[in-house]
Amino acid sequence: MNYHFRKAKISDIHEIGVILQQAILRRKKDGSNQWQDGYPNPEIIQKDIEQGEGFVLTEGDIIIGYCAILINDEPAYAEIEGKWLTNDDFVVFHRVAISEKYLGKGLSQIMIQYIEDFARINTVFSLKADTNYDNFAMMKIFEKSGFTYCGEVYFRGSSRRAYEKVLNNEVN
């Protein structure tokens, strides 16, 4: 397939919102508590985009996935119960969601490949992320993508599983 990864635009908010709503319902159906409290919402997505941190995965002109990417900007990661693999600069990604129509095609892993390329282009060689303890699908994606479980971090009052992947410095 012909996938592209680009910065999201304000005009993408509606399509991104639909994808995130699908993911919120999927989390609930799977019995997960993640994203069952009004987060993420259109205001968060708009802020991501305005700050240049929102990204979409597309197939042609169709938006099929979304995530937010930040460099060295996750205060919760300073207080890990456990140990990160590195203490250098890192790229963190949040709010990963794939359109319901495109599930089962390995697109989350493809998106992580794009995030790795983003990190390398910015001369950052560590990816860090977290997920809820009951988001088994994301934990499996982290495992398949070569991440290492590093411990627990706390967000919005709850414990989350923290992961890191150390990258080589070759751009694909």
Side-chain angles (χ1 to χ4, degrees):
M1 292 288 133
N2 197 10
Y3 301 117
H4 298 282
F5 193 66
R6 64 166 172 82
K7 282 195 175 190
K9 301 177 281 198
I10 291 294
S11 60
D12 297 331
I13 286 179
H14 175 73
E15 290 172 84
I16 294 166
V18 169
I19 290 169
L20 285 168
Q21 277 305 114
Q22 292 170 349
I24 289 166
L25 292 173
R26 202 163 48 249
R27 295 274 58 79
K28 184 175 186 174
K29 184 177 161 225
D30 290 346
S32 174
N33 290 320
Q34 188 170 0
W35 292 1
Q36 301 305 306
D37 61 356
Y39 169 95
N41 55 50
E43 293 78 24
I44 296 282
I45 304 315
Q46 182 169 340
K47 183 179 170 195
D48 286 347
I49 294 169
E50 288 172 350
Q51 293 179 339
E53 298 166 345
F55 287 80
V56 291
L57 180 66
T58 64
E59 181 181 57
D61 292 334
I62 301 168
I63 295 172
I64 59 174
Y66 177 77
C67 71
I69 305 174
L70 303 86
I71 298 176
N72 294 330
D73 190 12
E74 189 44 75
Y77 287 5
E79 301 289 327
I80 187 170
E81 289 181 6
K83 189 172 188 330
W84 293 112
L85 302 176
T86 68
N87 292 312
D88 298 326
D89 291 339
F90 63 93
V91 164
V92 59
F93 56 98
H94 292 300
R95 298 180 277 290
V96 174
I98 300 296
S99 170
E100 197 77 23
K101 296 175 190 171
Y102 288 83
L103 293 177
K105 298 180 182 216
L107 296 178
S108 293
Q109 288 176 271
I110 289 171
M111 189 179 299
I112 289 172
Q113 282 293 315
Y114 281 112
I115 296 167
E116 288 180 18
D117 290 344
F118 171 91
R120 287 184 186 102
I121 288 166
N122 286 280
T123 63
V124 176
F125 302 103
S126 167
L127 294 185
K128 293 181 180 178
D130 64 86
T131 195
N132 221 47
Y133 272 84
D134 57 9
N135 188 340
F136 300 109
M138 197 67 203
M139 286 185 259
K140 192 171 188 174
I141 290 163
F142 286 147
E143 185 180 304
K144 283 182 176 179
S145 298
F147 282 76
T148 299
Y149 171 70
C150 295
E152 295 181 27
V153 293
Y154 291 85
F155 275 100
R156 297 168 31 243
S158 65
S159 175
R160 317 260 300 161
R161 290 178 61 93
Y163 293 83
E164 182 175 10
K165 181 176 183 179
V166 179
L167 307 175
N168 64 36
N169 59 3
E170 297 172 13
V171 178
N172 292 333

